[in-house]
Amino acid sequence: MYSEFSKLNENPPQLEVDDRSFGFYRQALSYGLLGGSLLAMFLLIVNISQEGLHTGLHFAKYIVLIIPIYWAIRTYHEYLPSGKTFIDGFKLGASVAAIAAISVAVINLIIASLAPDFAFQQFYNANADAISTFANSVFLAFEIFVFGMIITFASLQLLKNGGAPE
């Protein structure tokens, strides 16, 4: 019996989280590309089926972004020890939002080069030339990142344990 307790002292529990074992960057890249791809598909379908993006659909498109951001944070939450979810989840959510924003901007530039009529519009700015297409992509990426951060913060509030702030 004494030997069982001595084994515990030789191998104490690991309290620090090793991001490499979770695959933090791989997960952020996977969920970010998933979110960006889903959002780009939604925007492309709306652009093909309708003339421009209506105000309701302009904000409804971010419902698509909720899925990968919440899913990524939820998966990471289950991995993390108590008290680490907010800060580390915020980093993951920011990474997913940034990757999704960049991927939508790049997809928009690709679509604009192949079929300019279907490129995504921002602020009713048509993609008349390369400069306006690039500006639309930058504004869209910034908007996606900001809304992604709002979604991240709301997701982290849902995952709080109800105790004291972390």
Side-chain angles (χ1 to χ4, degrees), residues 58 61-62 122-123 138-148:
H58 183 75
K61 66 185 176 189
Y62 295 109
Q122 275 301 95
F123 310 116
V138 169
F139 289 138
L140 185 62
F142 182 71
E143 184 180 312
I144 290 170
F145 180 72
V146 169
F147 274 92

Side-chain angles (χ1 to χ4, degrees), residues 108-131:
N108 186 39
L109 292 172
I110 292 170
I111 291 172
S113 67
L114 299 175
D117 293 338
F118 299 128
F120 313 143
Q121 295 181 8
Q122 275 301 95
F123 310 116
Y124 300 104
N125 183 14
N127 295 300
D129 55 1
I131 294 173

Side-chain angles (χ1 to χ4, degrees), residues 19-151:
D19 286 341
R20 289 173 290 168
S21 63
F22 175 74
F24 180 89
Y25 299 108
R26 183 176 48 89
Q27 295 292 331
L29 183 64
S30 300
Y31 287 112
L33 290 176
L34 174 67
S37 300
L38 289 174
L39 195 54
M41 281 192 313
F42 177 81
L43 290 170
L44 186 61
I45 290 169
V46 168
N47 281 350
I48 290 172
S49 65
Q50 297 184 4
E51 186 68 31
L53 189 62
H54 297 289
T55 305
L57 290 174
H58 183 75
F59 291 106
K61 66 185 176 189
Y62 295 109
I63 294 172
V64 175
L65 194 58
I66 292 172
I67 298 165
I69 289 178
Y70 181 77
W71 194 4
I73 293 172
R74 178 73 182 170
T75 304
Y76 200 35
H77 170 70
E78 292 171 0
Y79 173 79
L80 290 171
S82 179
K84 297 285 276 180
T85 300
F86 193 83
I87 293 172
D88 291 346
F90 198 76
K91 292 175 189 174
L92 181 64
S95 300
V96 170
I99 292 168
I102 292 169
S103 64
V104 169
V106 169
I107 290 170
N108 186 39
L109 292 172
I110 292 170
I111 291 172
S113 67
L114 299 175
D117 293 338
F118 299 128
F120 313 143
Q121 295 181 8
Q122 275 301 95
F123 310 116
Y124 300 104
N125 183 14
N127 295 300
D129 55 1
I131 294 173
S132 64
T133 302
F134 183 75
N136 284 341
S137 297
V138 169
F139 289 138
L140 185 62
F142 182 71
E143 184 180 312
I144 290 170
F145 180 72
V146 169
F147 274 92
M149 294 307 296
I150 293 168
I151 292 167

